[in-house]
Amino acid sequence: MITNFPNNPAPSKGVSGQRLERILPSTHAQQIFPLCRLLAGAALVLLLLQEVISRSLGIVAPSHYLSPTFLSPAALAAFALFAILSTRAERMRVLRIGLGLEAVRICLHLLAGRDPLNLLLFPGFGLGVATWGFLAHQVLTSAGPRRQRSLDMLAAALAVPFGHLLLWPCILATIPLLPNLQDNMLIRLDAALGFQPAALVGLMFREAPLLHVLHLVIYFQIPLAMYVVAALEERAQRRTGVGLIPACLVAAVIGYGLYVMMPAIGPRPYFGDGFAEAMWHLAALPTETVVNTANPRNAVPSLHMTWALLIYLAARQEGPLAHLGAIAFALGTALATLGLGEHYFIDLVVAVPLVLLVRAICAFGVPLARPQRWVPLGLGVVLLLGWSLIIRQILDPTGIPGLAPLLMLGTVALCFSAERVLLRLERGVQDTQLWRLGAVAGTSD
């Protein structure tokens, strides 16, 4: 999309501008959340198709995840997005209905004798249901700009939960398809740092249970942070690339492909619940490939870290409070992924070139011919391929002391430097440069 920063003049409405609007999402106030309607629709079609295929094959289907506990993080996030962008009257109406639904859910949960901790970790299902229902009602009963606004907001509020429902059955399908794990190489790469970061943070969490619970909340509530920043983007009509929600969905699609390229399960599934002690006291680093038929291959790269970094990159321009909050959330996510035993440190490193690749793909405001866009695009691809060769043990930098940490540091530094160059071009690009994209595409009026 075209991002009109305060120092950029508004584009004139000429023929070239009309052409560009057919290619890039509009920034007009009545058309919020570009691409979300298309992405939510595509995800819904894929969900229905996957449901039919999964049931015919007798494997896990998306409908198996239609539970309040699983959907609560996305539901609470949907309410937060709606609360930021709606009027006070709309917000209070949905809040009253949502709290009523949430009270019923809590009563049923406790009467069923389920763990009360789930209510702390996964609140807000009733608020999300009320939000989705209210927006759907607005779509059916209103007209004109009001209906389009409600439809776009509903699409954005459903895009992430649809994507989540779609992703998990696909991840579980990697278990029988990819029996051999690459965790042994990930452990050796982390050991090249001189210690095991996941073990260190895991032991810290064991000694501080409240810190453990706090990071559990951070880990599970990443949709909430994502939707809050996305709502701030929309309210300011000032986005990074095509917007945070489409970027996070693109990251999920590419991330799944990387899971297939680098199959691994993470420290806790690999070593068990006592992963921190086991890793800290490793007598010898593992060298043999392990066969596992129980756990999904979703370790490298860390999508949680990828999303947290995309949230940070989008929050930079939303004021100091959002910026500092996004930094704290990204750091908390990094600690949570390690301390909960979900990821190795190298998983977080490989997430950084994935972020760069997604940023370059989604920077529609910058012509692809500009080196500030295609260089980050190529750099992200090269770094991801390079790390996949290392993790699959085709290349092995651990035999040279200090090389693996140097490669990790260089990966992070290169990616952040390339992203900063891309950001500066996005903020300073002239409208006349943007119009060229419409001419190159060769669309007719």
Side-chain angles (χ1 to χ4, degrees), residues 390-415:
I390 291 173
I391 290 168
R392 294 189 69 88
Q393 305 180 52
I394 298 172
L395 302 174
D396 188 357
T398 60
I400 303 175
L403 180 57
L406 185 63
L407 291 175
M408 295 181 198
L409 179 62
T411 294
V412 174
L414 276 174
C415 289

Side-chain angles (χ1 to χ4, degrees), residues 50-372:
Q50 188 181 55
E51 182 72 23
V52 172
I53 295 174
S54 298
R55 287 191 173 275
S56 65
L57 296 176
I59 59 177
V60 174
S63 60
H64 290 104
Y65 291 94
L66 291 176
S67 68
T69 298
F70 185 82
L71 291 175
S72 283
L76 181 61
F79 173 74
L81 178 141
F82 175 80
I84 293 173
L85 296 176
S86 62
T87 65
R88 186 178 185 277
E90 292 173 330
R91 184 164 56 248
M92 295 308 298
R93 182 179 175 185
V94 169
L95 182 62
R96 286 193 296 269
I97 298 172
L99 289 177
L101 293 174
E102 191 70 1
V104 172
R105 179 210 169 194
I106 292 172
C107 291
L108 293 175
H109 187 94
L110 296 176
L111 288 173
R114 295 173 181 170
D115 189 353
L117 182 62
N118 280 349
L119 297 174
L120 172 64
L121 295 177
F122 306 104
F125 179 71
L127 294 171
V129 171
T131 299
W132 294 324
F134 178 82
L135 290 172
H137 178 265
Q138 290 291 95
V139 171
L140 295 174
T141 59
S142 59
R146 182 182 179 87
R147 180 180 181 275
Q148 180 170 318
R149 175 182 176 274
S150 299
L151 181 59
D152 286 346
M153 199 181 301
L154 178 62
L158 288 174
V160 169
F162 280 177
H164 205 185
L165 287 169
L166 185 64
L167 183 63
W168 264 105
C170 293
I171 289 177
L172 291 176
T174 61
I175 298 175
L177 296 176
L178 303 165
N180 298 323
L181 302 179
Q182 303 297 332
D183 287 71
N184 58 338
M185 188 61 185
L186 301 177
I187 296 166
R188 298 208 304 273
L189 287 168
D190 274 17
L193 298 170
F195 66 104
Q196 291 287 345
L200 178 64
V201 182
L203 291 171
M204 182 176 66
F205 281 6
R206 189 188 64 178
E207 298 299 322
L210 287 179
L211 191 63
H212 183 205
V213 173
L214 173 62
H215 284 84
L216 272 174
V217 173
I218 291 174
Y219 188 80
F220 289 120
Q221 294 300 333
I222 197 162
L224 178 60
M226 187 186 301
Y227 270 19
V228 166
V229 174
L232 295 177
E233 277 189 328
E234 293 304 324
R235 190 170 65 179
Q237 283 293 293
R238 185 177 58 240
R239 305 182 187 93
T240 300
V242 296
L244 178 59
I245 294 176
C248 288
L249 294 174
V250 170
V253 173
I254 300 175
Y256 178 76
L258 294 172
Y259 287 162
V260 174
M261 290 175 61
M262 299 173 279
I265 57 177
R268 185 175 53 80
Y270 190 86
F271 290 99
D273 291 336
F275 73 93
E277 291 84 357
M279 295 179 73
W280 194 256
H281 299 292
L282 272 178
L285 295 175
T287 57
E288 298 297 325
T289 299
V290 173
V291 176
N292 178 283
T293 58
N295 302 100
R297 280 63 171 148
N298 62 337
V300 54
S302 168
L303 277 181
H304 267 74
M305 196 68 238
T306 301
W307 291 326
L309 289 174
L310 288 171
I311 290 168
Y312 158 71
L313 296 178
R316 290 174 299 185
Q317 58 190 6
E318 303 305 331
L321 186 60
H323 191 180
L324 291 175
I327 292 174
F329 185 81
L331 292 175
T333 300
L335 290 175
T337 58
L338 295 171
L340 299 176
E342 298 297 324
H343 291 283
Y344 306 96
F345 181 77
I346 186 61
D347 302 349
L348 279 58
V349 173
V350 179
V352 178
L354 174 56
V355 170
L356 179 64
L357 177 60
V358 171
R359 277 282 289 118
I361 290 173
C362 296
F364 283 4
V366 179
L368 190 57
R370 297 293 296 269
Q372 291 89 341

Side-chain angles (χ1 to χ4, degrees), residues 1-3 20-27 34-36 38-39 239-243 246-247 250 357-370 373 377 422 425-426 429-431 433-438:
M1 62 161 286
I2 310 168
T3 303
L20 186 65
E21 288 182 0
R22 297 182 181 182
I23 305 167
L24 302 180
S26 172
T27 57
L35 296 183
C36 282
L38 174 63
L39 292 172
R239 305 182 187 93
T240 300
V242 296
V250 170
L357 177 60
V358 171
R359 277 282 289 118
I361 290 173
C362 296
F364 283 4
V366 179
L368 190 57
R370 297 293 296 269
R373 188 175 178 201
L377 193 67
L422 178 61
L425 183 62
E426 282 181 314
V429 68
Q430 297 298 316
D431 294 318
Q433 294 172 325
L434 290 175
W435 301 143
R436 292 176 191 158
L437 186 58

